[in-house]
Amino acid sequence: DKGVGILINRDFKPNFGDLETFEITRGIWAKNCVGIAKNSKYAFALYHGVVKEIYEIHSWVKAGTQEYFTRTLDNKNIKNRYEFIGKIADESIRKKYKGKLIKKNRSYGSPFIKL
């Protein structure tokens, strides 16, 4: 399944609910990260290599376009940044990957990994 792994290690907390996990996965990302994600149908939220959730990517938009409910954005730091519009992937995809360890290549400092 064509996707991008998004490393959420820095911001994810084990007590996060669905909305918190979605909001830290969908944004706020530098333009070069979006280039890595280009043509990806799915975004895999990875916490230490384990898939926490899978989202179907609809499109990428400038950061701050979408409303956030569980995090506060610093408007100074969102210039030239992006976020995706999406939804939780279909159950068939989630059953295949959620909770599984994804073997991945080293990211070399990027929070995005082409899967």
Side-chain angles (χ1 to χ4, degrees), residues 33-90:
C33 291
V34 175
I36 294 168
K38 189 171 119 178
N39 300 322
S40 292
K41 182 174 182 178
Y42 299 105
F44 293 76
L46 300 177
Y47 180 66
H48 297 294
V50 175
V51 178
K52 291 299 180 181
E53 191 56 85
I54 306 99
Y55 305 99
E56 187 173 339
I57 300 171
H58 178 266
S59 62
W60 288 89
V61 296
K62 287 214 171 259
T65 303
Q66 302 300 296
E67 189 171 3
Y68 286 81
F69 300 96
T70 65
R71 65 188 286 198
T72 304
L73 302 181
D74 181 351
N75 288 332
K76 293 181 289 187
N77 294 331
I78 64 172
K79 187 176 181 179
N80 298 320
R81 300 231 167 214
Y82 294 83
E83 61 198 9
F84 70 82
I85 297 172
K87 64 177 186 167
I88 291 179
D90 289 338

Side-chain angles (χ1 to χ4, degrees), residues 1 3 5 9-10 15 20 22 34 38 41 43 48 51 64 72 74 83 86 94 96 98 101 105 111 115:
D1 295 294
N9 298 340
R10 189 185 76 201
N15 64 337
E20 288 106 338
F22 177 62
V34 175
K38 189 171 119 178
K41 182 174 182 178
H48 297 294
V51 178
T72 304
D74 181 351
E83 61 198 9
R94 294 174 76 224
K96 283 171 62 175
K98 191 170 178 182
L101 181 65
N105 294 326
L115 298 176

